[in-house]
Amino acid sequence: EVQLVEAGGGLVQPGGSLRLSCTASGFTFSAYAMGWVRQAPGKGLEWVSTIMWGGGNTYYADSVKGRFTISRDNAKNTLYLQLNSLKTDDTAMYYCAKDLRFNGAAVPSAVAGERGQGTQVTVSS
């Protein structure tokens, strides 16, 4: 059974930082592109970032480029997202996602696999 367990969310002031983590089990973690998506209150699911199998190639939504950094540790089956210079617009539930694909797009933003239960990030003064 695929399990994705996120952690690290919380309440932070604008300009602050958080580090999210996602511990994976039940599949060969190193064989899949992994990513993060988020959903703000009253809005649809938004792709945030993807990292390919070996971690060499990363992709970001324009809204987070330069502020967020995705990484992975295949030995620990863990995915990370470093969130810096946080803005109120970053407030959302953040989900770890398995098997991100291009599906004809310029970036691998299509989630083909499972998502975790999410971790809440709230940016507020």
Side-chain angles (χ1 to χ4, degrees):
E1 178 189 4
V2 171
Q3 288 196 328
L4 300 167
V5 180
E6 300 95 336
L11 173 64
V12 64
Q13 292 186 342
S17 297
L18 285 172
R19 190 191 195 204
L20 308 184
S21 65
C22 169
T23 303
S25 62
F27 65 101
T28 304
F29 181 75
S30 59
Y32 289 89
M34 298 292 297
W36 292 92
V37 295
R38 66 185 181 184
Q39 187 164 23
K43 296 188 177 181
L45 205 61
E46 177 189 16
W47 170 73
V48 174
S49 182
T50 298
I51 185 167
M52 304 310 282
W53 311 272
N57 290 329
T58 57
Y59 304 87
Y60 299 92
D62 288 343
S63 58
V64 307
K65 201 171 294 182
R67 300 186 299 120
F68 291 8
T69 302
I70 192 170
S71 61
R72 67 191 296 165
D73 186 336
N74 286 343
K76 295 182 178 180
N77 287 356
T78 303
L79 177 72
Y80 303 97
L81 187 68
Q82 178 69 40
L83 291 67
N84 295 332
S85 302
L86 281 161
K87 306 175 181 179
T88 55
D89 286 349
D90 295 319
T91 295
M93 185 72 78
Y94 283 71
Y95 299 93
C96 170
K98 169 181 173 276
D99 196 7
L100 281 288
R101 299 185 181 184
F102 285 90
N103 284 3
V107 295
S109 58
V111 178
E114 295 84 348
R115 279 188 284 143
Q117 293 300 306
T119 185
Q120 177 68 39
V121 172
T122 302
V123 185
S124 174
S125 56

